[in-house]
Amino acid sequence: MRENGFRAEEIDTTKPHPARIYDYLLGGKDNYEVDRQAGEQLISAAPEARIGVRANRAFLRRAVRHVVGTGVRQILDIGTGLPTSPNVHETALEVAPDIRVAYLDNDPIVHTHAGALLSTTGTTGIVLADLRDPRAILDDRDVRAVIDFDEPVALLLVAVIHFLTDADKPEEIIATLRDALAPGSHLILSHATGDFADRSGAAAVYSKATASMNLRTRTEIERFFDGFELIDPGVAQVPFWRPDTPPPPRSREIGFYGGVARKLT
């Protein structure tokens, strides 16, 4: 896949970036002081935040293993964030050796770090792209070098849709992506919520970041799965979606919903 070059001045280090805040909460090192400050503010506003992002990451791994176990061999991961091992392709390879993964993010730093870790065989790749332009993603030649949309695809929208405002029309964005997928494709989606506690303070931290945090209810999140058939247990708090280990402490407070669904036709 081709290199998407960028100039250093294109990286805005004056504002926290969601991917770098997430990296900090996961214990990563690919972040700046402004991101670390935002992360600490987030923890102050939502004490379960660090547990929550780790539970969300664990949900992602379980969901990927499930979908690959059904026979899907292509993954389109939009809003991938900074690489955190085990990555999506590493998790998928635990189940099947013939996986193809296209990672997409709108942060040049994500692109650089992810590109350094990916193979050059054509089975994985990283594209600098914006979820708010789904048609451009679907038409991108680098995406299509990895993903064959005539075959089932696992579409990953994990902890990214809540950075879209209602004005961005997230339901239309997901519908555009859904309509390009072959039958047998799956959607893996997780989303922040304020259903379990007042998390307006946590959302306010992102008002100074490069993207706002838009908390939604379970009912609102379920609408993103329109046109798919949810698999059991439906949309659930991420620690309780098919857990394979005991849920972490404070799981009932974790403000992330997750779900996996299959496109039938």
Side-chain angles (χ1 to χ4, degrees):
M1 303 189 73
R2 74 172 183 268
E3 289 296 321
N4 287 298
F6 62 91
R7 300 183 303 274
E9 57 267 26
E10 292 182 64
I11 304 173
D12 186 355
T13 59
T14 65
K15 292 183 178 180
H17 188 285
R20 301 194 301 259
I21 297 172
Y22 196 86
D23 176 72
Y24 173 69
L25 293 174
L26 285 173
K29 298 180 180 178
D30 296 317
N31 48 73
Y32 296 98
E33 180 60 28
V34 67
D35 306 306
R36 295 187 284 273
Q37 291 175 356
E40 289 301 322
Q41 292 167 7
L42 190 62
I43 292 168
S44 295
E48 79 288 354
R50 183 165 272 136
I51 300 168
V53 298
R54 291 174 178 171
N56 182 67
R57 191 76 188 177
F59 157 76
L60 168 62
R61 294 197 68 211
R62 295 195 304 275
V64 166
R65 287 197 296 265
H66 168 78
V67 170
V68 174
T70 69
V72 175
R73 293 294 180 265
Q74 304 182 103
I75 299 174
L76 181 62
D77 184 1
I78 303 178
T80 181
L82 287 155
T84 301
S85 189
N87 298 295
V88 167
H89 67 281
E90 293 170 331
T91 298
L93 286 169
E94 295 172 3
V95 182
D98 52 342
I99 293 296
R100 302 172 66 86
V101 182
Y103 293 102
L104 292 88
D105 204 282
N106 67 353
D107 183 359
I109 290 181
V110 170
H111 174 267
T112 298
H113 283 271
L117 293 176
L118 298 180
S119 72
T120 58
T121 63
T123 59
T124 58
I126 177 72
V127 176
L128 197 61
D130 197 313
L131 175 59
R132 288 168 291 192
D133 190 354
R135 192 70 254 170
I137 290 172
L138 295 169
D139 293 339
D140 189 281
R141 68 180 185 182
D142 287 341
V143 171
R144 288 186 171 270
V146 175
I147 302 296
D148 177 0
F149 287 99
D150 291 329
E151 298 295 329
V153 176
L155 171 62
L156 273 58
L157 297 172
V158 176
V160 64
I161 296 297
H162 49 236
F163 295 118
L164 299 180
T165 67
D166 290 343
D168 291 320
K169 300 181 179 179
E171 291 181 51
E172 292 184 16
I173 289 171
I174 296 173
T176 298
L177 295 168
R178 178 200 66 214
D179 291 347
L181 302 178
S185 295
H186 286 69
L187 171 62
I188 299 174
L189 183 148
S190 68
H191 193 296
T193 185
D195 280 1
F196 307 103
D198 179 3
R199 289 296 175 250
S200 55
V205 172
Y206 287 90
S207 65
K208 298 178 182 179
T210 58
S212 63
M213 170 75 79
N214 303 278
L215 303 174
R216 294 183 173 95
T217 66
R218 178 177 179 173
T219 299
E220 291 172 318
I221 294 165
E222 286 176 334
R223 294 192 191 113
F224 295 140
F225 291 93
D226 285 353
F228 294 89
E229 182 180 70
L230 279 161
I231 68 168
D232 289 338
V235 174
Q237 278 177 281
V238 289
F240 305 113
W241 191 92
R242 300 195 176 193
D244 53 10
T245 59
R250 308 188 70 163
S251 285
R252 296 289 177 188
E253 301 173 40
I254 290 174
F256 271 104
Y257 282 120
V260 178
R262 185 171 184 264
K263 182 178 179 181
L264 300 179
T265 58

